[in-house]
Amino acid sequence: MAKWVYTFGDGKAEGGAQMRDLLGGKGANLAEMANLGLPVPPGFTITTEVCSYFYQHGKRYPADLKQQVEAALDYVGKVAGKSFGDRADPLLVSVRSGARASMPGMMDTVLNLGLNDETVDALAEKAADRRFAYDSYRRFIAMYCNVVLGMEHHHFEEILQDYKDRNGHGLDTDLDADDWAKIVARYKEGVQAELGRPFPQDPHEQLWGAIGAVFGSWMNARAITYRRLHNLPESWGTAVNVQAMVFGNMGETSATGVAFTRNPSTGENQLYGEFLINAQGEDVVAGIRTPQEISEAARVAAKSDKPSMETAMPEAFAELVRIYERLERHYRDMQDLEFTVEQGRLWMLQTRSGKRTAKAALKIAVELVELAQDGLISQEEAITRVDPAALDQLLHPTIDPKAERKILATGLPASPGAASGEIVFSSDEAEALKGQGRKVILVRVETSPEDIHGMHAAEGILTTRGGMTSHAAVVARGMGKPCVSGAGAIRVDYAAQTLSAADVTLKKGEMLTIDGTTGQVLVGRVPMTEPELSGEFATLMAWADAARVLKVRANADTPKDARVAVKFGTEGIGLCRTEHMFFEENRIVAVREMILADDEAGRRAALAKLLPMQRGDFVELFEIMGGLPVTIRLLDPPLHEFLPHTEEEIAAVATAMGADPKKLADRARQLHEVNPMLGFRGCRIAIAFPEIAEMQARAIFEAAVESGRNTGAKVAPEVMVPLIASKAEFDIVKERIDAAAAAVAAETGERVDYQVGTMIELPRAALLAGDIAKTAEFFSFGTNDLTQTTFGISRDDAASFLGPYTAKGILPVDPFVSLDREGVGELVSIAVERGRNTKNNLKLGICGEHAGDPASIAFCHEVGLDYVSCSPFRVPIARLAAAQAALGKAPASQT
């Protein structure tokens, strides 16, 4: 008989941390804590295999699951000394999800399950606290109806608020037992009115309803979105954890809280977290009440007048410190803990590796190697502990310390970094404006899991409620988005679409800046500064550089790009797109003169004006790179991109050039193409107008000579021919490049050491790589175009259907974001094999957007490329991802 259920509690468990895939992260860690003898309420886990069965069999369960669940309930009851459904001493349980990867807030939870009109009185009698019992019952009704029965939560909020308003109560704590009993009655009346049936009273019916809801939540919209954003497979499924309830809402000696063994924003080695006295777990993360600090040091730093857990509950605090130190050493990583104190006794409800910012991840990983007496982890393990993509958080501007700050309000520094954007008040609008290329700040009273798409679209998030462990804070840190939470001085009016603080009111669409490092909310757009990287970043990068095999270059078209790339540790330029240099105002006229010329002589005259400009560009790039390799791609885009298109633009350009507007318009029409991506571009321009390639090659070689003379550093440029489909094309262009090199050598008396290679960006080129490699000295895979031409998809037009494709599982991920291994990757593999069979020392690289994607970098390592070339700000990401690939710890392959 298959085993579907695993129990834990009473100092032992049937599972353990090694069974994460089967029990989910929460279940595996509950079992592990039980095995360690920590105070864990007894419970059981229904495995992820049941979730898979559930969806594969029309949402039905295995035939023997019910029997195993009932046996597990009996076990939990014996350990707890209670019986599920008993009218005198009922066992109450929580039902929670638990996938193998942490998905905070994405799936559903039910607390206090087992309460009904009879057991609530039994609970009141056993606890000697009728108020507590009815408070727990009303919470259960609201939560169960929302999660299991599909009633919107606002129904219950409105009933509660109406009751408080009618009876002159301001806070929930003002209500006594009779009040809660009346509210319970009104809740049940609301259920009957809304659903047409009474609230379920049978605890077993309640339990199976909750189990089904948790499995059902695996496929809810927010969970699907979260998995898509984090590349988590749908096939993993979730487990269900059923656990005996412990109550943090049993008066002033009870509490609930969330803690991290280190600061998840900075990585500082200090207990960090929040708790609430006389509350249940959801209260802390929901942001309904402002929580209190756990440690006295944190309370003083926060200037809070509310007592810390350290002073309010010293014995429970001391036990929490003991446990957190043991768990961090046991798991060898920072832990995220959930706990409840029931009448003075501490209970552990969860431990997991805590989500953290990139800054914190770096500090924690390095300290676990360097500061522990025995070194908890190795350098290699430290490299694998930091998500390369998370480094993006460190590589972008922060607020200029010299900038004037018009502070609107100050909240909690929930996720570091800074961002400016237009104010929006809804997630749907944030997503819509992001699609239009606009930057927004999402402003909410509080966020919920339904806001995940808006949070992903926004530059930053601002909430007026919630603490450092609220939904907004946890999700923003995971996304690397700046976030300010709990800015209580701000009032948000959704109806009027305004936010206000003191005498300042801002409307939707006005500019706002948030500083997630200080918690400040600033009026308008505030100047930013470039990041500075040192300390733990430099240490980890040094370890990564020693471990990796792949070289990392940058795509850089301007001196500014090149300087940023050098700052971030580039080992050369893998792609310089020369056409980007032509669009500057003082050059575009000469480019247009060249395009409008009637013959070769006219084109050469125009190109002669461009030659010194191109040479100057290359001299500056070579000198910045200080002898590192520089790959320069010859002109690639269609010529019509340099010409005006509307009548007004044509008239203005013609006047500025002193040209005939009709001739300019006629030439623009001649160059217009139905599908320019597959048209007159790349090497086709160099073959039709070889003088263009000659000018560019001459500029490269003259610049190499001049730069070498200026700096004394040897310059060895790599000249790259784009969009090759055959060896014959490549040879024609290479002949012109070689002739230019020979001419410059004859004129200057200096021979430049150079290579001529090609981009492999067409399937035909990949298949004929063995032939092309006879004369090409290097290949660089242009995977942007190779993906377009392999799929027959225009990247610019793909947004309308790639979303449904990934949602329906046709494609696991957008192939322009992460390399398609099955198709595009196969072509790359073929080209690598055939190219190196012809020339075993053939240099191979990749320069598409995929070169900054960790999963794609892992593929590049596997197939034996020599380097990847990505945008300058992604160079550190690529360095770390390449090291992880070399250590065999890379992101999951996309197929």
Side-chain angles (χ1 to χ4, degrees), residues 367-480:
E367 284 193 355
L368 289 177
V369 174
E370 294 185 339
L371 298 184
Q373 292 180 356
D374 52 354
L376 282 184
I377 62 175
S378 66
Q379 290 183 8
E380 290 76 13
E381 192 171 0
I383 291 169
T384 67
R385 287 285 182 91
V386 180
D387 177 7
L391 293 181
D392 230 3
Q393 298 173 30
L394 302 178
L395 309 180
H396 295 285
T398 54
I399 291 178
D400 186 338
K402 300 176 184 177
E404 180 182 353
R405 296 185 179 218
K406 186 178 179 181
I407 300 173
L408 179 68
T410 300
L412 299 172
S415 185
S420 297
E422 300 177 47
I423 296 169
V424 297
F425 294 99
S426 81
S427 289
D428 290 343
E429 186 167 18
E431 188 173 52
L433 292 183
K434 170 76 170 181
Q436 299 172 20
R438 291 156 69 178
K439 295 183 177 181
V440 302
I441 301 294
L442 177 62
V443 180
R444 303 287 291 165
V445 173
E446 58 194 357
T447 63
S448 72
E450 281 72 22
D451 288 308
I452 188 170
H453 61 296
M455 297 175 73
H456 186 253
E459 301 298 306
I461 299 99
L462 168 64
T463 69
T464 62
R465 291 185 195 160
M468 299 290 285
T469 52
S470 65
H471 176 267
V474 172
V475 174
R477 283 197 294 268
M479 289 182 171

Side-chain angles (χ1 to χ4, degrees), residues 7 19 131 206 209 266 271 407 618 629 715 809:
T7 59
M19 299 172 67
R131 183 191 183 283
Q206 294 172 358
T266 68
L271 183 62
I407 300 173
F618 298 144
V715 178

Side-chain angles (χ1 to χ4, degrees), residues 133 186 195 248 301 310 349 359 374 483 563 581 639 849 861:
R186 295 190 184 188
L195 301 179
E310 186 173 359
L349 305 182
K359 179 180 179 181
D374 52 354
C483 176
R563 290 188 183 96
M581 302 169 175
L639 295 179
E849 289 297 314
H861 173 84

Side-chain angles (χ1 to χ4, degrees), residues 60-124:
R60 290 183 291 107
Y61 298 116
D64 49 350
L65 177 64
K66 185 176 181 180
Q67 176 185 346
Q68 293 186 31
V69 167
E70 289 177 351
L73 270 175
D74 288 343
Y75 170 82
V76 173
K78 288 174 184 176
V79 173
K82 303 175 188 292
S83 178
F84 189 65
D86 187 79
R87 297 178 181 180
D89 192 8
L91 171 68
L92 304 181
V93 298
S94 64
V95 181
R96 291 182 171 95
S97 63
R100 70 171 78 170
S102 176
M103 296 172 62
M106 292 303 105
M107 293 180 294
D108 292 323
T109 295
V110 177
L111 303 180
N112 308 332
L113 191 143
L115 281 174
N116 58 26
D117 293 347
E118 293 180 335
T119 57
V120 67
D121 290 327
L123 179 64

